Amino acid sequence: MSDPKCKVCRRAGEKLFLKGEKCFTPKCTFERRPTPPGKPQNERKHRSMLTEYGIQLKEKQKIRNVYGLSEKQFSRYVKESTSVKGEGSPVDHLFEKLERRLDNVVYRLGFAQSRVQARQMVGHGHFVIGKRKLTIPSYQVRNEDVITVREGSRVSPLFAESKVKMAKHNTPNWITTDPTKLAATIKGTPKYDKNEIGFNFQSVIEFYSR
């Protein structure tokens, strides 16, 4: 039976790296069967032409699944982003909201192989901001927030090699890290760059504006 996360990638027509390191190995289901569920393998190179609506819908589903959000959560973020007054575009605000989620930050720091695992780790209370233990994956980190692994969690096998992994991990430039203390500080604002991120957030804004 195919893993649900693998089916998401097959429907998207590309790897979304929802299972962490396994996605980089020959065991990745997408490598063996990249066609959408229900489609014969020999249809791999045949893709039906999508309408503009279909393209926007596909992009929306990709981004929503990558960040692991329900439709209700994601549409709320879009609504909030399009209603922000002042500087920045809705695209910038949406990207910032997604990136500032605590579970995403934990993933970006290299503590978890996927955002799903990061969400579980946050939910189990492994991280603190300042002296406050947080178990809410959707918590929006703010500038100067200091995120650390909770003292009681440091003996967990989950963090056995975290200092080494964190030191080698490619962390976004809006976060500074201190691997020796298993800590990170939010020092800036996540900036959307379509060429770097690979997702078309403008297409998503247009989808919800219909």
Side-chain angles (χ1 to χ4, degrees), residues 27-62:
K27 292 182 179 180
C28 175
T29 302
F30 188 86
E31 292 288 345
R32 294 179 281 107
R33 192 172 182 82
T35 52
K39 292 274 187 177
Q41 180 70 8
N42 59 11
E43 290 191 24
R44 173 174 184 169
K45 295 183 180 179
H46 177 72
R47 300 285 183 185
S48 59
M49 295 297 291
L50 289 175
T51 63
E52 182 180 1
Y53 173 85
I55 292 171
Q56 291 172 348
L57 174 62
K58 184 177 179 181
E59 198 68 15
K60 184 265 289 188
Q61 293 293 78
K62 273 198 309 186

PDB file of all heavy atoms in Angstrom, residues 27-62:
ATOM      1  N   LYS A  27      14.895   4.385  -2.480  1.00  0.00           N
ATOM      2  CA  LYS A  27      13.667   3.854  -1.903  1.00  0.00           C
ATOM      3  C   LYS A  27      12.483   4.802  -2.102  1.00  0.00           C
ATOM      4  O   LYS A  27      11.342   4.435  -1.826  1.00  0.00           O
ATOM      5  CB  LYS A  27      13.860   3.596  -0.398  1.00  0.00           C
ATOM      6  CG  LYS A  27      14.823   2.466  -0.079  1.00  0.00           C
ATOM      7  CD  LYS A  27      14.913   2.240   1.426  1.00  0.00           C
ATOM      8  CE  LYS A  27      15.867   1.097   1.757  1.00  0.00           C
ATOM      9  NZ  LYS A  27      15.958   0.876   3.227  1.00  0.00           N
ATOM     10  N   CYS A  28      12.763   6.007  -2.538  1.00  0.00           N
ATOM     11  CA  CYS A  28      11.701   6.995  -2.752  1.00  0.00           C
ATOM     12  C   CYS A  28      10.697   6.453  -3.770  1.00  0.00           C
ATOM     13  O   CYS A  28      11.070   6.079  -4.887  1.00  0.00           O
ATOM     14  CB  CYS A  28      12.304   8.303  -3.247  1.00  0.00           C
ATOM     15  SG  CYS A  28      11.065   9.542  -3.693  1.00  0.00           S
ATOM     16  N   THR A  29       9.433   6.419  -3.387  1.00  0.00           N
ATOM     17  CA  THR A  29       8.376   5.894  -4.260  1.00  0.00           C
ATOM     18  C   THR A  29       8.282   6.681  -5.557  1.00  0.00           C
ATOM     19  O   THR A  29       8.023   6.111  -6.627  1.00  0.00           O
ATOM     20  CB  THR A  29       7.013   5.928  -3.536  1.00  0.00           C
ATOM     21  OG1 THR A  29       7.110   5.157  -2.335  1.00  0.00           O
ATOM     22  CG2 THR A  29       5.913   5.362  -4.408  1.00  0.00           C
ATOM     23  N   PHE A  30       8.498   7.982  -5.499  1.00  0.00           N
ATOM     24  CA  PHE A  30       8.380   8.813  -6.696  1.00  0.00           C
ATOM     25  C   PHE A  30       9.398   8.412  -7.760  1.00  0.00           C
ATOM     26  O   PHE A  30       9.128   8.539  -8.961  1.00  0.00           O
ATOM     27  CB  PHE A  30       8.563  10.290  -6.325  1.00  0.00           C
ATOM     28  CG  PHE A  30       8.263  11.243  -7.448  1.00  0.00           C
ATOM     29  CD1 PHE A  30       6.967  11.670  -7.680  1.00  0.00           C
ATOM     30  CD2 PHE A  30       9.280  11.704  -8.273  1.00  0.00           C
ATOM     31  CE1 PHE A  30       6.681  12.544  -8.723  1.00  0.00           C
ATOM     32  CE2 PHE A  30       9.010  12.576  -9.317  1.00  0.00           C
ATOM     33  CZ  PHE A  30       7.708  12.996  -9.544  1.00  0.00           C
ATOM     34  N   GLU A  31      10.569   7.925  -7.333  1.00  0.00           N
ATOM     35  CA  GLU A  31      11.595   7.503  -8.281  1.00  0.00           C
ATOM     36  C   GLU A  31      11.108   6.306  -9.097  1.00  0.00           C
ATOM     37  O   GLU A  31      11.405   6.173 -10.276  1.00  0.00           O
ATOM     38  CB  GLU A  31      12.890   7.126  -7.540  1.00  0.00           C
ATOM     39  CG  GLU A  31      13.604   8.300  -6.892  1.00  0.00           C
ATOM     40  CD  GLU A  31      14.272   9.199  -7.912  1.00  0.00           C
ATOM     41  OE1 GLU A  31      14.427   8.784  -9.083  1.00  0.00           O
ATOM     42  OE2 GLU A  31      14.622  10.333  -7.549  1.00  0.00           O
ATOM     43  N   ARG A  32      10.342   5.429  -8.426  1.00  0.00           N
ATOM     44  CA  ARG A  32       9.869   4.213  -9.082  1.00  0.00           C
ATOM     45  C   ARG A  32       8.540   4.398  -9.807  1.00  0.00           C
ATOM     46  O   ARG A  32       8.268   3.743 -10.805  1.00  0.00           O
ATOM     47  CB  ARG A  32       9.746   3.081  -8.053  1.00  0.00           C
ATOM     48  CG  ARG A  32      11.077   2.639  -7.462  1.00  0.00           C
ATOM     49  CD  ARG A  32      10.951   1.539  -6.442  1.00  0.00           C
ATOM     50  NE  ARG A  32      10.509   2.052  -5.137  1.00  0.00           N
ATOM     51  CZ  ARG A  32       9.306   1.874  -4.631  1.00  0.00           C
ATOM     52  NH1 ARG A  32       8.393   1.203  -5.310  1.00  0.00           N
ATOM     53  NH2 ARG A  32       8.994   2.361  -3.451  1.00  0.00           N
ATOM     54  N   ARG A  33       7.710   5.289  -9.267  1.00  0.00           N
ATOM     55  CA  ARG A  33       6.383   5.481  -9.844  1.00  0.00           C
ATOM     56  C   ARG A  33       5.975   6.950  -9.741  1.00  0.00           C
ATOM     57  O   ARG A  33       5.268   7.347  -8.809  1.00  0.00           O
ATOM     58  CB  ARG A  33       5.373   4.586  -9.123  1.00  0.00           C
ATOM     59  CG  ARG A  33       4.039   4.486  -9.832  1.00  0.00           C
ATOM     60  CD  ARG A  33       3.140   3.442  -9.180  1.00  0.00           C
ATOM     61  NE  ARG A  33       1.887   3.319  -9.889  1.00  0.00           N
ATOM     62  CZ  ARG A  33       1.698   2.600 -10.992  1.00  0.00           C
ATOM     63  NH1 ARG A  33       2.713   1.917 -11.489  1.00  0.00           N
ATOM     64  NH2 ARG A  33       0.529   2.540 -11.591  1.00  0.00           N
ATOM     65  N   PRO A  34       6.399   7.777 -10.700  1.00  0.00           N
ATOM     66  CA  PRO A  34       6.125   9.214 -10.629  1.00  0.00           C
ATOM     67  C   PRO A  34       4.749   9.625 -11.154  1.00  0.00           C
ATOM     68  O   PRO A  34       4.382  10.795 -11.066  1.00  0.00           O
ATOM     69  CB  PRO A  34       7.235   9.797 -11.504  1.00  0.00           C
ATOM     70  CG  PRO A  34       7.473   8.739 -12.524  1.00  0.00           C
ATOM     71  CD  PRO A  34       7.303   7.429 -11.800  1.00  0.00           C
ATOM     72  N   THR A  35       4.011   8.672 -11.726  1.00  0.00           N
ATOM     73  CA  THR A  35       2.695   9.019 -12.261  1.00  0.00           C
ATOM     74  C   THR A  35       1.675   9.211 -11.147  1.00  0.00           C
ATOM     75  O   THR A  35       1.804   8.633 -10.063  1.00  0.00           O
ATOM     76  CB  THR A  35       2.193   7.905 -13.197  1.00  0.00           C
ATOM     77  OG1 THR A  35       2.281   6.646 -12.513  1.00  0.00           O
ATOM     78  CG2 THR A  35       3.007   7.842 -14.466  1.00  0.00           C
ATOM     79  N   PRO A  36       0.626  10.011 -11.376  1.00  0.00           N
ATOM     80  CA  PRO A  36      -0.406  10.209 -10.362  1.00  0.00           C
ATOM     81  C   PRO A  36      -1.081   8.896  -9.995  1.00  0.00           C
ATOM     82  O   PRO A  36      -1.152   7.977 -10.824  1.00  0.00           O
ATOM     83  CB  PRO A  36      -1.400  11.158 -11.052  1.00  0.00           C
ATOM     84  CG  PRO A  36      -0.590  11.851 -12.097  1.00  0.00           C
ATOM     85  CD  PRO A  36       0.395  10.834 -12.575  1.00  0.00           C
ATOM     86  N   PRO A  37      -1.581   8.740  -8.761  1.00  0.00           N
ATOM     87  CA  PRO A  37      -2.284   7.518  -8.356  1.00  0.00           C
ATOM     88  C   PRO A  37      -3.424   7.207  -9.321  1.00  0.00           C
ATOM     89  O   PRO A  37      -4.179   8.091  -9.715  1.00  0.00           O
ATOM     90  CB  PRO A  37      -2.823   7.872  -6.957  1.00  0.00           C
ATOM     91  CG  PRO A  37      -1.890   8.915  -6.456  1.00  0.00           C
ATOM     92  CD  PRO A  37      -1.515   9.724  -7.667  1.00  0.00           C
ATOM     93  N   GLY A  38      -3.497   5.938  -9.739  1.00  0.00           N
ATOM     94  CA  GLY A  38      -4.564   5.537 -10.651  1.00  0.00           C
ATOM     95  C   GLY A  38      -4.181   5.604 -12.111  1.00  0.00           C
ATOM     96  O   GLY A  38      -4.909   5.129 -12.985  1.00  0.00           O
ATOM     97  N   LYS A  39      -3.000   6.209 -12.407  1.00  0.00           N
ATOM     98  CA  LYS A  39      -2.535   6.323 -13.785  1.00  0.00           C
ATOM     99  C   LYS A  39      -1.531   5.209 -14.087  1.00  0.00           C
ATOM    100  O   LYS A  39      -0.676   4.894 -13.260  1.00  0.00           O
ATOM    101  CB  LYS A  39      -1.849   7.681 -14.006  1.00  0.00           C
ATOM    102  CG  LYS A  39      -2.789   8.871 -13.929  1.00  0.00           C
ATOM    103  CD  LYS A  39      -3.440   9.118 -15.258  1.00  0.00           C
ATOM    104  CE  LYS A  39      -4.240  10.429 -15.211  1.00  0.00           C
ATOM    105  NZ  LYS A  39      -4.840  10.730 -16.521  1.00  0.00           N
ATOM    106  N   PRO A  40      -1.580   4.603 -15.271  1.00  0.00           N
ATOM    107  CA  PRO A  40      -0.602   3.572 -15.642  1.00  0.00           C
ATOM    108  C   PRO A  40       0.801   4.160 -15.699  1.00  0.00           C
ATOM    109  O   PRO A  40       0.987   5.339 -15.988  1.00  0.00           O
ATOM    110  CB  PRO A  40      -1.071   3.145 -17.047  1.00  0.00           C
ATOM    111  CG  PRO A  40      -2.505   3.548 -17.115  1.00  0.00           C
ATOM    112  CD  PRO A  40      -2.607   4.801 -16.292  1.00  0.00           C
ATOM    113  N   GLN A  41       1.793   3.320 -15.432  1.00  0.00           N
ATOM    114  CA  GLN A  41       3.185   3.763 -15.430  1.00  0.00           C
ATOM    115  C   GLN A  41       3.606   4.325 -16.786  1.00  0.00           C
ATOM    116  O   GLN A  41       4.408   5.251 -16.862  1.00  0.00           O
ATOM    117  CB  GLN A  41       4.100   2.579 -15.061  1.00  0.00           C
ATOM    118  CG  GLN A  41       5.589   2.913 -15.016  1.00  0.00           C
ATOM    119  CD  GLN A  41       5.965   3.808 -13.850  1.00  0.00           C
ATOM    120  OE1 GLN A  41       5.149   4.063 -12.984  1.00  0.00           O
ATOM    121  NE2 GLN A  41       7.193   4.285 -13.834  1.00  0.00           N
ATOM    122  N   ASN A  42       3.056   3.786 -17.890  1.00  0.00           N
ATOM    123  CA  ASN A  42       3.475   4.252 -19.216  1.00  0.00           C
ATOM    124  C   ASN A  42       2.941   5.634 -19.558  1.00  0.00           C
ATOM    125  O   ASN A  42       3.238   6.179 -20.609  1.00  0.00           O
ATOM    126  CB  ASN A  42       3.062   3.253 -20.304  1.00  0.00           C
ATOM    127  CG  ASN A  42       1.550   3.028 -20.344  1.00  0.00           C
ATOM    128  OD1 ASN A  42       0.793   3.762 -19.708  1.00  0.00           O
ATOM    129  ND2 ASN A  42       1.131   2.013 -21.088  1.00  0.00           N
ATOM    130  N   GLU A  43       2.172   6.232 -18.650  1.00  0.00           N
ATOM    131  CA  GLU A  43       1.683   7.587 -18.870  1.00  0.00           C
ATOM    132  C   GLU A  43       2.572   8.625 -18.202  1.00  0.00           C
ATOM    133  O   GLU A  43       2.225   9.785 -18.088  1.00  0.00           O
ATOM    134  CB  GLU A  43       0.249   7.753 -18.349  1.00  0.00           C
ATOM    135  CG  GLU A  43      -0.779   7.012 -19.162  1.00  0.00           C
ATOM    136  CD  GLU A  43      -2.201   7.398 -18.784  1.00  0.00           C
ATOM    137  OE1 GLU A  43      -2.380   8.517 -18.258  1.00  0.00           O
ATOM    138  OE2 GLU A  43      -3.106   6.598 -19.009  1.00  0.00           O
ATOM    139  N   ARG A  44       3.760   8.179 -17.776  1.00  0.00           N
ATOM    140  CA  ARG A  44       4.671   9.066 -17.052  1.00  0.00           C
ATOM    141  C   ARG A  44       4.934  10.374 -17.790  1.00  0.00           C
ATOM    142  O   ARG A  44       4.925  11.453 -17.195  1.00  0.00           O
ATOM    143  CB  ARG A  44       5.998   8.347 -16.814  1.00  0.00           C
ATOM    144  CG  ARG A  44       7.068   9.249 -16.204  1.00  0.00           C
ATOM    145  CD  ARG A  44       8.298   8.457 -15.860  1.00  0.00           C
ATOM    146  NE  ARG A  44       9.270   9.320 -15.199  1.00  0.00           N
ATOM    147  CZ  ARG A  44      10.351   8.886 -14.602  1.00  0.00           C
ATOM    148  NH1 ARG A  44      10.611   7.607 -14.549  1.00  0.00           N
ATOM    149  NH2 ARG A  44      11.194   9.714 -14.024  1.00  0.00           N
ATOM    150  N   LYS A  45       5.146  10.297 -19.112  1.00  0.00           N
ATOM    151  CA  LYS A  45       5.522  11.489 -19.862  1.00  0.00           C
ATOM    152  C   LYS A  45       4.319  12.219 -20.453  1.00  0.00           C
ATOM    153  O   LYS A  45       4.475  13.246 -21.091  1.00  0.00           O
ATOM    154  CB  LYS A  45       6.497  11.108 -20.970  1.00  0.00           C
ATOM    155  CG  LYS A  45       7.827  10.574 -20.450  1.00  0.00           C
ATOM    156  CD  LYS A  45       8.772  10.273 -21.582  1.00  0.00           C
ATOM    157  CE  LYS A  45      10.100   9.741 -21.040  1.00  0.00           C
ATOM    158  NZ  LYS A  45      11.033   9.425 -22.130  1.00  0.00           N
ATOM    159  N   HIS A  46       3.144  11.656 -20.237  1.00  0.00           N
ATOM    160  CA  HIS A  46       1.956  12.294 -20.796  1.00  0.00           C
ATOM    161  C   HIS A  46       1.198  13.022 -19.706  1.00  0.00           C
ATOM    162  O   HIS A  46       0.648  12.427 -18.801  1.00  0.00           O
ATOM    163  CB  HIS A  46       1.054  11.240 -21.453  1.00  0.00           C
ATOM    164  CG  HIS A  46      -0.231  11.824 -21.979  1.00  0.00           C
ATOM    165  ND1 HIS A  46      -0.279  12.620 -23.087  1.00  0.00           N
ATOM    166  CD2 HIS A  46      -1.506  11.722 -21.512  1.00  0.00           C
ATOM    167  CE1 HIS A  46      -1.529  12.980 -23.302  1.00  0.00           C
ATOM    168  NE2 HIS A  46      -2.301  12.464 -22.364  1.00  0.00           N
ATOM    169  N   ARG A  47       1.188  14.320 -19.779  1.00  0.00           N
ATOM    170  CA  ARG A  47       0.477  15.133 -18.803  1.00  0.00           C
ATOM    171  C   ARG A  47      -0.623  15.905 -19.512  1.00  0.00           C
ATOM    172  O   ARG A  47      -0.375  16.533 -20.546  1.00  0.00           O
ATOM    173  CB  ARG A  47       1.417  16.141 -18.120  1.00  0.00           C
ATOM    174  CG  ARG A  47       2.565  15.495 -17.376  1.00  0.00           C
ATOM    175  CD  ARG A  47       2.084  14.894 -16.082  1.00  0.00           C
ATOM    176  NE  ARG A  47       3.200  14.327 -15.338  1.00  0.00           N
ATOM    177  CZ  ARG A  47       3.066  13.654 -14.210  1.00  0.00           C
ATOM    178  NH1 ARG A  47       1.876  13.446 -13.703  1.00  0.00           N
ATOM    179  NH2 ARG A  47       4.122  13.176 -13.588  1.00  0.00           N
ATOM    180  N   SER A  48      -1.819  15.867 -19.016  1.00  0.00           N
ATOM    181  CA  SER A  48      -2.905  16.624 -19.618  1.00  0.00           C
ATOM    182  C   SER A  48      -2.660  18.119 -19.421  1.00  0.00           C
ATOM    183  O   SER A  48      -2.055  18.533 -18.445  1.00  0.00           O
ATOM    184  CB  SER A  48      -4.245  16.229 -18.987  1.00  0.00           C
ATOM    185  OG  SER A  48      -4.215  16.469 -17.594  1.00  0.00           O
ATOM    186  N   MET A  49      -3.135  18.898 -20.375  1.00  0.00           N
ATOM    187  CA  MET A  49      -2.969  20.347 -20.301  1.00  0.00           C
ATOM    188  C   MET A  49      -3.862  20.902 -19.198  1.00  0.00           C
ATOM    189  O   MET A  49      -5.050  20.602 -19.132  1.00  0.00           O
ATOM    190  CB  MET A  49      -3.332  20.976 -21.644  1.00  0.00           C
ATOM    191  CG  MET A  49      -2.398  20.573 -22.771  1.00  0.00           C
ATOM    192  SD  MET A  49      -0.694  21.125 -22.508  1.00  0.00           S
ATOM    193  CE  MET A  49      -0.919  22.890 -22.701  1.00  0.00           C
ATOM    194  N   LEU A  50      -3.281  21.711 -18.330  1.00  0.00           N
ATOM    195  CA  LEU A  50      -4.043  22.283 -17.231  1.00  0.00           C
ATOM    196  C   LEU A  50      -4.537  23.680 -17.596  1.00  0.00           C
ATOM    197  O   LEU A  50      -3.857  24.432 -18.291  1.00  0.00           O
ATOM    198  CB  LEU A  50      -3.169  22.376 -15.972  1.00  0.00           C
ATOM    199  CG  LEU A  50      -2.799  21.064 -15.275  1.00  0.00           C
ATOM    200  CD1 LEU A  50      -1.837  21.365 -14.134  1.00  0.00           C
ATOM    201  CD2 LEU A  50      -4.030  20.360 -14.739  1.00  0.00           C
ATOM    202  N   THR A  51      -5.715  24.014 -17.119  1.00  0.00           N
ATOM    203  CA  THR A  51      -6.217  25.376 -17.260  1.00  0.00           C
ATOM    204  C   THR A  51      -5.482  26.260 -16.263  1.00  0.00           C
ATOM    205  O   THR A  51      -4.765  25.775 -15.385  1.00  0.00           O
ATOM    206  CB  THR A  51      -7.722  25.427 -16.964  1.00  0.00           C
ATOM    207  OG1 THR A  51      -7.932  25.032 -15.592  1.00  0.00           O
ATOM    208  CG2 THR A  51      -8.497  24.495 -17.886  1.00  0.00           C
ATOM    209  N   GLU A  52      -5.682  27.582 -16.388  1.00  0.00           N
ATOM    210  CA  GLU A  52      -5.064  28.496 -15.436  1.00  0.00           C
ATOM    211  C   GLU A  52      -5.529  28.173 -14.016  1.00  0.00           C
ATOM    212  O   GLU A  52      -4.736  28.173 -13.071  1.00  0.00           O
ATOM    213  CB  GLU A  52      -5.427  29.944 -15.780  1.00  0.00           C
ATOM    214  CG  GLU A  52      -4.776  30.966 -14.849  1.00  0.00           C
ATOM    215  CD  GLU A  52      -5.145  32.391 -15.185  1.00  0.00           C
ATOM    216  OE1 GLU A  52      -5.923  32.586 -16.135  1.00  0.00           O
ATOM    217  OE2 GLU A  52      -4.669  33.303 -14.486  1.00  0.00           O
ATOM    218  N   TYR A  53      -6.821  27.863 -13.883  1.00  0.00           N
ATOM    219  CA  TYR A  53      -7.362  27.488 -12.574  1.00  0.00           C
ATOM    220  C   TYR A  53      -6.678  26.226 -12.055  1.00  0.00           C
ATOM    221  O   TYR A  53      -6.310  26.135 -10.880  1.00  0.00           O
ATOM    222  CB  TYR A  53      -8.873  27.249 -12.686  1.00  0.00           C
ATOM    223  CG  TYR A  53      -9.506  26.704 -11.426  1.00  0.00           C
ATOM    224  CD1 TYR A  53      -9.907  27.556 -10.400  1.00  0.00           C
ATOM    225  CD2 TYR A  53      -9.693  25.323 -11.253  1.00  0.00           C
ATOM    226  CE1 TYR A  53     -10.476  27.060  -9.232  1.00  0.00           C
ATOM    227  CE2 TYR A  53     -10.260  24.821 -10.093  1.00  0.00           C
ATOM    228  CZ  TYR A  53     -10.649  25.689  -9.090  1.00  0.00           C
ATOM    229  OH  TYR A  53     -11.206  25.197  -7.937  1.00  0.00           O
ATOM    230  N   GLY A  54      -6.492  25.249 -12.953  1.00  0.00           N
ATOM    231  CA  GLY A  54      -5.855  23.991 -12.552  1.00  0.00           C
ATOM    232  C   GLY A  54      -4.414  24.196 -12.106  1.00  0.00           C
ATOM    233  O   GLY A  54      -3.955  23.566 -11.148  1.00  0.00           O
ATOM    234  N   ILE A  55      -3.715  25.081 -12.788  1.00  0.00           N
ATOM    235  CA  ILE A  55      -2.323  25.376 -12.425  1.00  0.00           C
ATOM    236  C   ILE A  55      -2.262  26.022 -11.042  1.00  0.00           C
ATOM    237  O   ILE A  55      -1.434  25.672 -10.203  1.00  0.00           O
ATOM    238  CB  ILE A  55      -1.677  26.303 -13.472  1.00  0.00           C
ATOM    239  CG1 ILE A  55      -1.519  25.561 -14.807  1.00  0.00           C
ATOM    240  CG2 ILE A  55      -0.319  26.814 -12.991  1.00  0.00           C
ATOM    241  CD1 ILE A  55      -1.091  26.441 -15.958  1.00  0.00           C
ATOM    242  N   GLN A  56      -3.168  26.983 -10.812  1.00  0.00           N
ATOM    243  CA  GLN A  56      -3.202  27.668  -9.519  1.00  0.00           C
ATOM    244  C   GLN A  56      -3.584  26.707  -8.400  1.00  0.00           C
ATOM    245  O   GLN A  56      -3.009  26.739  -7.309  1.00  0.00           O
ATOM    246  CB  GLN A  56      -4.191  28.834  -9.577  1.00  0.00           C
ATOM    247  CG  GLN A  56      -3.744  29.971 -10.473  1.00  0.00           C
ATOM    248  CD  GLN A  56      -4.821  31.023 -10.657  1.00  0.00           C
ATOM    249  OE1 GLN A  56      -5.977  30.818 -10.300  1.00  0.00           O
ATOM    250  NE2 GLN A  56      -4.447  32.163 -11.222  1.00  0.00           N
ATOM    251  N   LEU A  57      -4.547  25.838  -8.666  1.00  0.00           N
ATOM    252  CA  LEU A  57      -4.974  24.849  -7.678  1.00  0.00           C
ATOM    253  C   LEU A  57      -3.834  23.899  -7.332  1.00  0.00           C
ATOM    254  O   LEU A  57      -3.587  23.601  -6.152  1.00  0.00           O
ATOM    255  CB  LEU A  57      -6.162  24.050  -8.205  1.00  0.00           C
ATOM    256  CG  LEU A  57      -6.642  22.873  -7.341  1.00  0.00           C
ATOM    257  CD1 LEU A  57      -7.120  23.367  -5.979  1.00  0.00           C
ATOM    258  CD2 LEU A  57      -7.742  22.086  -8.049  1.00  0.00           C
ATOM    259  N   LYS A  58      -3.124  23.456  -8.356  1.00  0.00           N
ATOM    260  CA  LYS A  58      -1.998  22.542  -8.141  1.00  0.00           C
ATOM    261  C   LYS A  58      -0.915  23.205  -7.294  1.00  0.00           C
ATOM    262  O   LYS A  58      -0.359  22.587  -6.377  1.00  0.00           O
ATOM    263  CB  LYS A  58      -1.430  22.113  -9.494  1.00  0.00           C
ATOM    264  CG  LYS A  58      -0.311  21.080  -9.396  1.00  0.00           C
ATOM    265  CD  LYS A  58       0.137  20.657 -10.786  1.00  0.00           C
ATOM    266  CE  LYS A  58       1.265  19.640 -10.704  1.00  0.00           C
ATOM    267  NZ  LYS A  58       1.724  19.236 -12.063  1.00  0.00           N
ATOM    268  N   GLU A  59      -0.627  24.469  -7.574  1.00  0.00           N
ATOM    269  CA  GLU A  59       0.404  25.184  -6.817  1.00  0.00           C
ATOM    270  C   GLU A  59      -0.033  25.369  -5.369  1.00  0.00           C
ATOM    271  O   GLU A  59       0.758  25.230  -4.435  1.00  0.00           O
ATOM    272  CB  GLU A  59       0.686  26.539  -7.467  1.00  0.00           C
ATOM    273  CG  GLU A  59       1.995  27.172  -7.053  1.00  0.00           C
ATOM    274  CD  GLU A  59       3.208  26.420  -7.562  1.00  0.00           C
ATOM    275  OE1 GLU A  59       3.075  25.562  -8.463  1.00  0.00           O
ATOM    276  OE2 GLU A  59       4.317  26.686  -7.056  1.00  0.00           O
ATOM    277  N   LYS A  60      -1.307  25.697  -5.187  1.00  0.00           N
ATOM    278  CA  LYS A  60      -1.841  25.862  -3.825  1.00  0.00           C
ATOM    279  C   LYS A  60      -1.720  24.574  -3.038  1.00  0.00           C
ATOM    280  O   LYS A  60      -1.286  24.574  -1.871  1.00  0.00           O
ATOM    281  CB  LYS A  60      -3.308  26.299  -3.904  1.00  0.00           C
ATOM    282  CG  LYS A  60      -3.954  26.604  -2.561  1.00  0.00           C
ATOM    283  CD  LYS A  60      -4.721  25.426  -1.971  1.00  0.00           C
ATOM    284  CE  LYS A  60      -5.992  25.149  -2.734  1.00  0.00           C
ATOM    285  NZ  LYS A  60      -6.827  24.119  -2.026  1.00  0.00           N
ATOM    286  N   GLN A  61      -2.066  23.451  -3.658  1.00  0.00           N
ATOM    287  CA  GLN A  61      -1.989  22.161  -2.981  1.00  0.00           C
ATOM    288  C   GLN A  61      -0.549  21.797  -2.639  1.00  0.00           C
ATOM    289  O   GLN A  61      -0.272  21.245  -1.572  1.00  0.00           O
ATOM    290  CB  GLN A  61      -2.615  21.067  -3.857  1.00  0.00           C
ATOM    291  CG  GLN A  61      -4.116  21.207  -4.051  1.00  0.00           C
ATOM    292  CD  GLN A  61      -4.896  20.991  -2.768  1.00  0.00           C
ATOM    293  OE1 GLN A  61      -4.967  21.875  -1.920  1.00  0.00           O
ATOM    294  NE2 GLN A  61      -5.468  19.813  -2.609  1.00  0.00           N
ATOM    295  N   LYS A  62       0.371  22.119  -3.550  1.00  0.00           N
ATOM    296  CA  LYS A  62       1.790  21.838  -3.288  1.00  0.00           C
ATOM    297  C   LYS A  62       2.274  22.560  -2.041  1.00  0.00           C
ATOM    298  O   LYS A  62       2.860  21.955  -1.136  1.00  0.00           O
ATOM    299  CB  LYS A  62       2.649  22.278  -4.485  1.00  0.00           C
ATOM    300  CG  LYS A  62       2.807  21.256  -5.566  1.00  0.00           C
ATOM    301  CD  LYS A  62       3.987  21.552  -6.477  1.00  0.00           C
ATOM    302  CE  LYS A  62       3.991  22.944  -7.016  1.00  0.00           C
ATOM    303  NZ  LYS A  62       5.078  23.164  -8.005  1.00  0.00           N
TER     304      LYS A  62
END
